[in-house]
Amino acid sequence: MKEVFDYIDSNKDRALEALKTLVRQPSVSAKGEGLRECAELVRRMLEDLGASPKLLEAGEGINPVVVGEIKSKSNPKRTILFYNHYDVQPPEPLELWESPPFEPTVKDGKLFGRGAADDKAELVGRLKLTEAFLETCKDVPCNFKFLFEGEEEIGSIHLKDYRKKYPNAFSADSVIWEFGGIDAKERPEVTLGVKGILYVELTAKNANRDAHSSLAAFVENPAWRLVWALNSLKKGEKILIPGWYDDVRPFSKNEIELIKKWPYPEREVKKELGIKQFIGGMKGLEVKKAYVGKPTCTICGLDSGYKGPGSKTVLPKEARAKIDFRLVPDQDPNDLEKKLRAHLRKKGFSDISITYSEGERAARTSPDAPIARAAMKAASIVYERKPVVLVSSAGTGPMYLFDSPCVAIGGGYSENRAHAPNENTRIDLFVKGMKWVAETVNTFTELQK
Ligand SMILES: [Zn+2]
């Protein structure tokens, strides 16, 4: 691996130039801006690598998925897949950027720009570490597959369709996920999963217009209907929908051990949020177990009636609530949506309509999987310190669409301002991240020889 690392070091400026090229190309999926152009750029980069790229399509107006593949001569029986995305978040608010979002700018050892971290740095890093293997070893440690989507920042809304149409593009022995890096204390962090999600909107309607509130004496108020319906969903921290927890997979012994060891910066989080305590005063292991494995029901938005200054005596015609349920393995969002509908019906709220907006299953890789062990071992080699292992991120991603074990590792850090103004990548970590992923792939194949 020394030659591979040396190559990565001595070609880091070229890697940075490739990253700048990608950052210069806006690819804002929320606004449909520059996606084709960016996909084409990525396709050309894969072509330069000799990875026989293709643009997969799933219908008009849907951003293409760019795939590529490099076969290994020495180890053609194993395949690693790199999942990344070439789309980015909108750059707004523009006035808070210190340099223009689509003009990559180097300052204080960092590259600034929209997508400089999430996820163009990781995407380019994977191409460049592949180049390092090909230039030094004239081979890759196992087959490499690349799958780069263009709708991650809008919830990977069509990745399911791609999976159905091109199942082969998703198959591999193991997957390396799109994000990862070091934690706030500069420890490499290996993440083994993500939570799932069910996102719905509830709407209560009654009269065909807002009415004078004096009529509240006999005209039903949809805001109250909605509040009562919401009240039936949860008591304290328990979700009351029958069968909600039926499929929750308990933690394994190994997972519990890892959760115990995982350092969660409780005090810093409370300080940053300006809160004195967590729900019910929970702390320590309880908080960490909740972070990793607690199904949640969150009212994300509530809307009804008059919200302006002063008072307005009005009886609103409708009320809406947006709700997200974070899910854990092996909960199924489709099944849970049915359970939610049945529950509201049974409680007498059949008048409240439910609009389904998003559903993704959770995914979690066993810490014993070869790719997980390889990522941990590689972290110790590249960073010369033991990694921390996060059994599952509390966020959500389309990891479940890949049936194989998956780890999230890379060159990110906690101050990279992903999704925010002044997004940046630390150039030293960009390089280290490449080495970490390269070493992981190498160790992954070694472990299975
Ligand atoms: Zn993102």
Side-chain angles (χ1 to χ4, degrees), residues 72 75-80 142-144 173 444-445 448:
S72 168
N75 191 11
K77 289 216 170 109
R78 297 234 179 261
T79 303
I80 279 275
C142 62
N143 301 326
F144 279 14
D173 294 299
F444 169 75
T445 46
Q448 295 178 100

Side-chain angles (χ1 to χ4, degrees), residues 85 87-89 117-119 152-154 178-179 418-419 423:
H85 60 93
D87 65 323
V88 298
Q89 286 277 327
D118 179 13
D119 185 39
E152 195 274 346
E153 300 293 9
I154 48 171
E178 49 116 356
F179 65 82
H419 296 204
E423 177 176 353

